[in-house]
Amino acid sequence: MKSSITLFLVNAVFFVVVAFIYGLYTEFTEMVGFPALLLTGFMSGMIGVYLWLTDRRVGRQPQDAEYAEISDADADYGFFSPWSWWPIACAGAAAVSFYGIAMGWWIFPFGALLGLVALVGLAFEHDRGDHAH
């Protein structure tokens, strides 16, 4: 985490400095680039400070240890079904919904209904059939 903190804080300083150089170069008349670079620097600084505070609270992480093994950073990511088709149905429903927002609102309810069916199927796929608990 130490390298991430350093990276974000160096990026914050870089973007703020570049923002002011850009502002001076354009005489602060172009009001898109200067605020965008400045806000990018502030956002990077916020992430760096958040990581620094989290690192102080949590302590030493496996990625900071010089001789750590890859398995030291293993975490329990949950249980996922490799045979499940429901995530594809969820993605298809999201695609139909976003298409409906972009092209015509009358399409959106169909995507929302498909999304509801897909989410219920995903949530309850282990409650019936061969894999019921």
Side-chain angles (χ1 to χ4, degrees), residues 81 83 86 117 120-133:
S81 303
W83 61 84
W86 288 112
V117 170
V120 168
L122 182 65
F124 293 111
E125 71 180 328
H126 293 289
D127 290 342
R128 45 176 276 211
D130 294 335
H131 307 290
H133 295 278

Side-chain angles (χ1 to χ4, degrees), residues 7-25:
L7 177 73
F8 278 107
L9 292 178
V10 167
N11 274 343
V13 172
F14 171 77
F15 280 115
V16 169
V17 168
V18 167
F20 281 106
I21 292 172
Y22 182 81
L24 290 172
Y25 182 71

Side-chain angles (χ1 to χ4, degrees), residues 5-128:
I5 295 168
T6 305
L7 177 73
F8 278 107
L9 292 178
V10 167
N11 274 343
V13 172
F14 171 77
F15 280 115
V16 169
V17 168
V18 167
F20 281 106
I21 292 172
Y22 182 81
L24 290 172
Y25 182 71
T26 60
E27 298 173 354
F28 295 98
T29 57
E30 197 273 316
M31 293 308 295
V32 174
F34 173 69
L37 286 168
L38 197 62
L39 290 174
T40 302
F42 287 145
M43 180 68 75
S44 184
M46 286 174 29
I47 294 171
V49 169
Y50 170 76
L51 289 175
W52 175 67
L53 291 173
T54 303
D55 183 55
R56 243 181 29 176
R57 182 181 42 119
V58 172
R60 189 160 179 84
Q61 296 291 313
Q63 60 264 31
D64 293 329
E66 189 173 340
Y67 297 107
E69 296 291 327
I70 293 175
S71 60
D72 292 341
D74 278 347
D76 184 19
Y77 294 114
F79 176 74
F80 300 100
S81 303
W83 61 84
S84 178
W85 289 86
W86 288 112
I88 297 172
C90 287
V96 170
S97 296
F98 291 136
Y99 180 77
I101 291 171
M103 299 306 277
W105 281 100
W106 65 273
I107 302 172
F108 179 77
F110 295 110
L113 183 64
L114 287 172
L116 186 63
V117 170
L119 284 175
V120 168
L122 182 65
F124 293 111
E125 71 180 328
H126 293 289
D127 290 342
R128 45 176 276 211

